[in-house]
Every structure is written in C-alpha cells, then in structure tokens.
Amino acid sequence: MRVAEVMNDFRTIQHRIQQYRVNPPQGQQQLTGYAVLRQCHAEAQGLLAANFNAGSAQSSGSSPETLKRQLQRILIDASARRFRVQKVYLRAVAAMRWVQARTQILQGQQPHAGHAAALQRVEAALAAELATITDDRIVNELRQKDWSAGHYLAEDPSLATLQSWIRSQH
C-alpha cells in the first residue's frame, strides 16, 4: 500500500512539472530561469524513463524475510524517485516564478538599461530560492505531507538511506 501511495505522489508531481512549459523570447533561451526550467524537464523525463534496478531484489526464495527485503528495496526505490522528482519540481516552481516576474517587469518590451535593477533582483531571488531547496527541506516537507494525509511512515527510508540509494544508482 505504501509503495502505491509514494508512486502516485511521484506521478502527480511529474504531471505538475509538465505543466510548466514556456517559450523563451528569441535570444533569451540561455538565461538562468529558462535554463533551470529546461534542466528540470530533462531530469523529470529521465526519472520517468529510468527502470527499477531489481539487483538483489530478485534473489531466490520466498521466505518472509526475503519478501520483506524485496518490498523494502522497492519502497526505497519509489521513495528515492519521489524525493528526486520533488526536488526537480521545487526548482521548476522557482524558475516559473522567475519567468513570471521577468515577464511582469518587461511587459512585452525588450530588456534595456531601465530594467536592469529589477531584473537583477529577479535573478537574485531565483538564486536565493534555489539555495533553499535542500535535501533536508525536501524530506521534511514530504514527511509532513504524508503525516498530514495519515499515511503510515514507520518503514519509510531515512534521508541517509535515500541519499545512499541515489548515489548507488548513478
């Protein structure tokens, strides 16, 4: 049941990321916010396309201990995917705020010297927001959300386990 809850959340987050699409104005594709958004889409697609690495989860035998280890491995994999896609999502949200603020400042005009200070503030705000997207923040937000929804969390992997799993998959 928990694996299904985690994977459903993963799917929902993926859908949200796909809604954040913009067409940068000509010559502005390499600006920070647009680049972050492109990177988020690529990372989200990569996570969606990645196969489950069954590895030792396919060990022989059907003892209760073996089955429990297999289920734990599946839960870790699902939780790591959700953790990673949540990080991508938060970065995409920050980039979209940058796009919206930039659009509001420019109001259809080409950037010029009169926009410089406001655009610099938008760049700084994006950098500051991206810096707040930490592993601790993500895991705490996900756990709080799950706890509020009444999900059983006792067997969820720790942050250290998630980080170790993610490193082992690369």
Side-chain angles (χ1 to χ4, degrees):
M1 176 88 148
R2 182 68 181 133
V3 172
E5 292 166 352
V6 170
M7 289 310 295
N8 186 52
D9 199 24
F10 171 83
R11 183 182 58 82
T12 300
I13 296 166
Q14 280 281 356
H15 286 293
R16 287 182 190 150
I17 293 170
Q18 293 309 312
Q19 293 173 358
Y20 293 136
R21 296 230 178 245
V22 296
N23 291 316
Q26 187 67 24
Q28 297 181 27
Q29 298 89 343
Q30 298 309 315
L31 295 176
T32 308
Y34 297 124
V36 168
L37 203 51
R38 265 194 321 279
Q39 184 181 24
C40 289
H41 281 279
E43 288 176 28
Q45 285 304 113
L47 284 168
L48 197 57
N51 292 323
F52 171 62
N53 181 1
S56 64
Q58 292 182 338
S59 59
S60 61
S62 59
S63 73
E65 305 310 317
T66 301
L67 293 175
K68 183 177 180 177
R69 280 192 307 273
Q70 289 174 347
L71 189 54
Q72 285 172 334
R73 193 170 162 89
I74 291 167
L75 180 58
I76 291 169
D77 182 75
S79 297
R81 288 171 191 263
R82 180 178 74 149
F83 172 84
R84 291 177 65 198
V85 81
Q86 178 69 13
K87 189 177 221 177
V88 170
Y89 172 72
L90 292 174
R91 290 175 47 240
V93 168
M96 283 305 296
R97 270 195 266 284
W98 177 91
V99 168
Q100 292 164 348
R102 187 174 171 80
T103 300
Q104 186 176 23
I105 291 166
L106 296 175
Q107 297 180 0
Q109 300 176 16
Q110 288 295 319
H112 57 73
H115 297 126
L119 292 175
Q120 287 174 347
R121 284 191 298 276
V122 170
E123 286 288 326
L126 174 61
E129 188 170 356
L130 291 174
T132 69
I133 302 171
T134 64
D135 289 355
D136 285 325
R137 172 186 167 192
I138 293 164
V139 81
N140 289 334
E141 286 179 3
L142 289 172
R143 290 218 170 97
Q144 180 61 42
K145 180 179 161 248
D146 289 344
W147 181 80
S148 295
H151 297 308
Y152 179 76
L153 307 177
E155 294 186 16
D156 278 11
S158 67
L159 175 57
T161 300
L162 292 173
Q163 291 169 327
S164 176
W165 179 265
I166 291 166
R167 280 191 302 274
S168 75
Q169 301 302 305
H170 294 295

